[in-house]
Amino acid sequence: MESRFGKEISRFGKKDGILALCMFLFSTLLIVASITVRNMGFPMPWFVARIIEYIPVVTIIVIVLHNKQGLSSIGIHKEKLWPAIRLGLLFSLIPIIFRGLIPGFYGGFNRLSLGAIISAFAISLLFAAWEDILYAGFITPRLYGFIKSGWFAIPLGALLFAIMHVPAWVLNGGMHFGSWELLGLNGLQILRWCIGFTFYFAVFRKYYSIVPVILIHTINNFMWDLTSGAPEPFGMENWWIISNAARLLAAGTLFFHIYKSEKKEQQNSLTTRRNK
């Protein structure tokens, strides 16, 4: 029996791949335009910036419904919902431990009121959901329209996800160029985004569900709010390796499990056909 993931990506062709790249450019340009307008001194309410971020999400929903692909093609469905949620909760332990508990106990947690905690969680959800629906649910699966074999669409999707962040960080002053040292630091940041997306997409690929991805991504961002400003345990460079190695190990383990499970299902399906 073919997996849910295999069934969905088998429907995508080159047009879907081109559409995925167009949506990547569209979303990136919208973010750049929004930040540029604010940097020019024009006031932009917080909710307007969030609406702009969700324009690509609304656009892809209209597209998939118009093309009769259904919301399931972007990972929104009820099939195996509880197993997907359990998987999300399980892999949420990675950001809880490595982004929250260890840095928090080492450097201290931010003292937030109950209202601030609820607000931080809601904002974390809003930031995570549009990225996950657009890049994990829509763009990366449709890249298989270009790349029909193997798992090569995943690193390409991860790279697009990372590149999408770069203009915003540059415009907001989070990234600077001008020396080899800064270039190296920027490269590490891009690598961190790639690793993070690979981790999220491993969870998405298991059940072709966007729900556990949004759950993990939200918790990851929320943990950052609870511990931002705290010094990195064991030094920044060492902690960068440790925390990202944990995500890579988790993603690799899940990908291996998926591979073995799908291979076993294919063998069982082949045996059943032969016995008929």
Side-chain angles (χ1 to χ4, degrees):
M1 182 182 295
E2 192 176 12
S3 67
R4 180 65 186 257
F5 185 86
K7 290 178 181 177
E8 291 291 348
I9 66 170
S10 65
R11 299 189 295 168
F12 302 140
K14 289 184 178 180
K15 290 183 179 180
D16 295 290
I18 294 172
L19 182 59
L21 294 178
C22 290
M23 290 309 303
F24 156 72
L25 292 173
F26 179 50
S27 64
T28 304
L29 289 174
L30 276 179
I31 294 172
V32 170
S34 173
I35 296 174
T36 301
V37 168
R38 293 200 300 270
N39 289 347
M40 291 174 63
F42 294 96
M44 181 178 293
W46 179 86
F47 72 90
V48 174
R50 300 292 77 76
I51 290 174
I52 291 175
E53 289 173 348
Y54 274 85
I55 288 176
V57 174
V58 175
T59 303
I60 65 172
I61 289 175
V62 172
I63 289 172
V64 298
L65 293 178
H66 178 267
N67 293 341
K68 298 181 179 180
Q69 293 175 334
L71 294 180
S72 62
S73 70
I74 56 176
I76 302 177
H77 55 81
K78 295 181 180 179
E79 183 180 330
K80 296 184 178 180
L81 179 60
W82 286 115
I85 292 175
R86 289 196 298 267
L87 182 69
L89 291 173
L90 174 62
F91 277 79
S92 291
L93 291 175
I94 300 295
I96 288 174
I97 294 172
F98 290 93
R99 182 57 268 170
L101 294 180
I102 295 178
F105 285 125
Y106 179 83
F109 293 94
N110 294 330
R111 296 182 179 180
L112 302 176
S113 65
L114 178 60
I117 290 175
I118 295 174
S119 176
F121 190 85
I123 293 173
S124 297
L125 174 61
L126 286 174
F127 270 104
W130 77 267
E131 291 184 348
D132 298 332
I133 294 172
L134 184 60
Y135 281 85
F138 184 83
I139 290 178
T140 303
R142 281 158 179 78
L143 292 177
Y144 281 83
F146 286 129
I147 308 168
K148 291 294 185 179
S149 62
W151 299 59
F152 299 109
I154 299 174
L156 178 56
L159 183 60
L160 294 179
F161 178 79
I163 292 174
M164 176 269 295
H165 287 82
V166 173
W169 273 54
V170 171
L171 291 172
N172 284 327
M175 275 187 169
H176 303 278
F177 298 90
S179 69
W180 287 109
E181 182 180 0
L182 289 174
L183 188 62
L185 290 174
N186 293 339
L188 288 177
Q189 179 61 41
I190 291 173
L191 179 60
R192 186 180 71 83
W193 284 321
C194 289
I195 292 173
F197 182 82
T198 303
F199 173 57
Y200 298 143
F201 196 78
V203 176
F204 175 80
R205 197 192 186 288
K206 174 62 178 175
Y207 295 111
Y208 203 89
S209 174
I210 204 63
V211 174
V213 184
I214 294 175
L215 176 61
I216 298 171
H217 198 170
T218 299
I219 290 175
N220 179 80
N221 291 354
F222 179 62
M223 291 296 106
W224 174 264
D225 289 328
L226 293 182
T227 61
S228 60
E232 300 285 359
F234 317 115
M236 183 178 69
E237 292 182 1
N238 293 330
W239 187 241
W240 188 95
I241 295 173
I242 294 170
S243 58
N244 282 280
R247 292 197 290 181
L248 270 180
L249 179 62
T253 301
L254 183 54
F255 276 135
F256 180 75
H257 170 72
I258 293 170
Y259 170 76
K260 297 293 288 185
S261 298
E262 292 181 353
K263 189 174 182 179
K264 184 177 180 180
E265 288 180 3
Q266 291 173 357
Q267 290 175 344
N268 290 340
S269 178
L270 182 60
T271 301
T272 301
R273 292 176 184 176
R274 287 176 178 175
N275 292 334
K276 287 184 178 180

